[in-house]
Amino acid sequence: MTIENAFHNKYSLVKGAARRARQLQSGASPLIVAKSMKACRVAQDEIKQGHVKFVLPERVVEPVLDLPPQ
């Protein structure tokens, strides 16, 4: 599985890596032993290895009723 397949699109990949990097900078433990100390690189490696999943939120769409005027 490639990184692009693991996420909805490249924008989602960037958003997911940024969110995970912020978690790492805030003190979260890395899920892998990384070569780099940079949070962004560690987050990308975690995603690449499948340790971080991205869940798309469900969209709640309200139905629009097209009623004739009364």
Side-chain angles (χ1 to χ4, degrees), residues 9-57:
N9 55 35
K10 287 183 182 183
Y11 178 75
S12 297
L13 170 64
V14 171
K15 292 278 289 185
R19 179 172 286 173
R20 179 63 183 146
R22 275 188 240 112
Q23 290 175 349
L24 291 167
Q25 288 175 334
S26 296
S29 298
L31 301 173
I32 61 171
V33 176
K35 295 177 185 175
S36 178
M37 296 300 293
K38 295 182 179 181
C40 187
R41 184 72 230 175
V42 173
Q44 290 174 13
D45 290 343
E46 288 178 346
I47 292 168
K48 182 187 260 185
Q49 294 180 19
H51 294 286
V52 176
K53 305 287 187 224
F54 182 79
V55 179
L56 291 174

